Amino acid sequence: MGESEIKIFIILTGIIVLVFITGIIIFIFQYRERKLLYNKEKAMIEEQHQSDLLNKQLEIRQQTMQFIGRELHDSVTQKLTLASIYTQQMEFENLYPGMQEKLKGISTIINDSLVELRDLSKSLTESKIENSSLSDLLMLECERVNDTGICRALLQTTGEAPLTITVKSFLLRTMQEFIQNSLKHSNCREISIRLRHDEKGLALNAADDGKGFDVTTVQSRGIGLNNMRRRIQILGGSFNLQSEAGRGTSLELFVPIDHVNSQ
Ligand SMILES: Nc1ncnc2c1ncn2[C@@H]1O[C@H](COP(=O)(O)OP(=O)(O)OP(=O)(O)O)[C@@H](O)[C@H]1O
Ligand SMILES: [Mg+2]
């Protein structure tokens, strides 16, 4: 083999090795990219699945309560009404001396039970969340806080529009947990809530003026905080909880308009 042939051989071998190495590098990169894409898709499917699951649970709970409410109304209430009519008739007939008093007593018990049953049936059938606006539901929470006398709660609303039951109940549950935490842990004097709904989305801010806490160390411990974060994540919104010892706690939620309308 001449000198020039050896050179050509070395160059060719070099090129082959280079092509081979480049091929391996490209393959590794493509493999990693595909794996990343696969993991991303898997996470998205998992998230969607969790969201569907939660929505389903909410729906089943709702249907069960409505079923019990209707059953109470259609079955027990009807029978009690009949029993009430019978006792009224007997009261009228006045068969034995002293019987009228006893029948009056029975009649009163039946009628009281009827009123209570009707109220219960109504509250189970008509879902409070379904039939009230988010600001009404939040106002009710504020009133409850104010009734405790522990601290003051204020609500400020700007621009309300109808919301689906999922969005309403997830936001309400999140705010209820914030309020509970403020009452339980913060020693605050005031809790303020602001609700703003415009063409960009729905913003909900809450703040207490309590003792605050270290968000970084405490986050993984409580179920409440994790549930709040998860609910907002499922809605496709952003969650920003801030707190500092001695400076209170604040929460900023934002759900973009396309997510508000798609749930
Ligand atoms: N507004 C707040 N002010 C002061 N500390 C708070 C506040 N909110 C939360 N914390 C702290 O964060 C911790 C975790 O809160 P989280 O709601 O997750 O759990 P929890 O309230 O202790 O129990 P639960 O699971 O019943 O909600 C609380 O134990 C408390 O120490
Ligand atoms: Mg809590």
Side-chain angles (χ1 to χ4, degrees), residues 177-178 180-187 208 210-213 218-219 221-226 228 241 243 248-249:
E177 177 59 29
F178 183 91
Q180 278 306 310
N181 278 350
S182 299
L183 292 177
K184 247 179 12 185
H185 308 296
S186 84
N187 265 332
D208 72 39
K211 64 179 186 190
F213 67 107
V218 91
Q219 247 170 18
R221 256 184 15 213
I223 298 171
L225 288 181
N226 284 334
M228 282 160 100
L241 181 74
S243 190
T249 304

Side-chain angles (χ1 to χ4, degrees), residues 56 58-68 70:
K56 209 78 226 143
L58 209 73
E59 211 176 284
I60 291 171
R61 209 177 63 186
Q62 192 80 6
Q63 281 172 359
T64 312
M65 290 206 326
Q66 291 190 346
F67 174 76
I68 299 172
R70 277 196 301 269

Side-chain angles (χ1 to χ4, degrees), residues 159-173:
E160 258 223 299
L163 297 169
T164 63
I165 187 157
T166 311
V167 176
K168 258 191 284 183
S169 70
F170 277 25
L171 291 174
L172 177 69
R173 298 284 176 248

Side-chain angles (χ1 to χ4, degrees), residues 6 13 17 26 49 62 91 97 106 113 128 150 153 219 236 239:
I6 291 175
T13 316
V17 170
I26 290 172
H49 176 67
Q62 192 80 6
E91 228 179 284
I106 297 172
S113 312
K128 188 104 195 125
I150 298 174
Q219 247 170 18
F239 180 98

